[in-house]
Amino acid sequence: MSPQVAMDEAFRAVVLDVLNIYTRPLDSDEQVWSLDEKTSLQPRTRSAENRPAKPGGVPVCVEHEYERKGALQLFAAFNTRTGEVVGLLRRRKRQREFLELLERIDTQAPADVKAIHIVCDNASIHKGKLVRNWLIRHPRFRMHFTPVHCSWMNQVEQWFSILQRKRMTAPNFPDLNALEERVLAFIAEWNLHAHPFRWTVDSFDKVLAKVDAAIEAAA
């Protein structure tokens, strides 16, 4: 925890809100999505092709020199109850791109879904004027912000780590278009076998214990 951010009842309330939205049974007209951005995905075109591993313990060989060809920002949402992922890649990271993602969730959510809960961090693009105005026009969306410096509470980060291991370790793509195609293909493949991550009350026990200890010490 950051020493600049007090561990007090306000912090505890935010943690409990996230815990509740992740673990309680949902009504049939509710959805919960965890949103964030994985920034600066680069093609990193290598000057030589990778050499595959060989029998006898010879590892994969990756050329260390690469060419920079720009970067993409992945905006992604993870459905905490089904594991489905919605994603888009853009050159910039702004409120406009964040709203594109919300629009996709809104479009695909059935009309009988009355509450769409969004869990995200406190980045300015999640709270700006454009976003606030959009939320007024889309009242079924409810925002839930994770505590500062607690990115691990955002479930989409867990999915980002899978993407990183499966597709972004030592990246070697010819250009941004190829990179985008591979990431979108991974999302489509994931959604064929999508599964949620199992979060329980126990996941938060250590954090809440520290908060309780801090409150007791300050009393």
Side-chain angles (χ1 to χ4, degrees):
M1 303 303 173
S2 169
Q4 285 75 40
V5 181
M7 294 188 295
D8 55 13
E9 281 293 350
F11 179 90
R12 180 185 176 85
V14 175
V15 173
L16 289 175
D17 178 57
V18 175
L19 168 63
N20 176 64
I21 207 67
Y22 279 169
T23 61
R24 70 171 172 81
L26 296 182
D27 293 334
S28 59
D29 62 353
E30 289 184 291
Q31 293 182 352
V32 177
W33 294 83
S34 169
L35 276 65
D36 206 358
E37 300 80 42
K38 187 171 177 62
T39 59
S40 194
L41 301 183
Q42 301 178 42
R44 295 193 176 186
T45 308
R46 308 285 165 168
S47 58
E49 292 295 323
N50 295 351
R51 295 180 182 176
K54 296 181 179 180
V58 178
V60 175
C61 294
V62 179
E63 172 59 56
H64 73 281
E65 293 185 356
Y66 60 86
E67 182 180 355
R68 294 185 182 274
K69 294 182 177 179
L72 294 173
Q73 325 302 321
L74 171 60
F75 294 76
F78 180 85
N79 187 312
T80 65
R81 298 312 196 269
T82 68
E84 177 189 1
V85 172
V86 175
L88 56 89
L89 293 105
R90 296 292 183 265
R91 294 296 297 271
R92 301 182 67 180
K93 177 186 171 182
R94 303 174 298 177
Q95 292 180 66
R96 295 180 185 276
E97 289 75 23
F98 177 66
L99 289 176
E100 281 190 65
L101 184 60
L102 295 185
E103 290 281 3
R104 289 200 181 185
I105 295 172
D106 187 45
T107 298
Q108 72 175 41
D112 59 357
V113 173
K114 304 302 181 183
I116 301 175
H117 300 277
I118 302 297
V119 179
C120 59
D121 63 24
N122 293 270
S124 60
I125 67 167
H126 301 157
K127 294 183 171 183
K129 183 177 180 180
L130 290 178
V131 173
R132 296 196 302 271
N133 290 339
W134 188 92
L135 291 172
I136 292 173
R137 300 192 302 272
H138 298 80
R140 64 177 179 168
F141 279 75
R142 322 275 176 83
M143 303 297 284
H144 303 259
F145 296 101
T146 59
V148 176
H149 303 301
C150 290
S151 61
W152 65 270
M153 289 188 193
N154 205 345
Q155 288 195 28
V156 73
E157 296 289 350
Q158 196 170 345
W159 184 82
F160 282 157
S161 70
I162 296 173
L163 170 67
Q164 181 68 35
R165 294 195 304 272
K166 298 292 187 180
R167 292 294 184 272
M168 300 306 299
T169 299
N172 185 7
F173 303 97
D175 51 40
L176 289 174
N177 289 335
L179 171 58
E180 181 173 5
E181 289 175 4
R182 288 291 298 277
V183 173
L184 293 179
F186 179 78
I187 292 174
E189 181 182 348
W190 169 272
N191 285 335
L192 290 176
H193 309 282
H195 61 81
F197 303 129
R198 184 174 179 270
W199 285 51
T200 68
V201 174
D202 294 340
S203 305
F204 294 81
D205 278 351
K206 291 182 179 180
V207 174
L208 294 176
K210 289 183 179 180
V211 173
D212 289 337
I215 292 174
E216 183 176 349

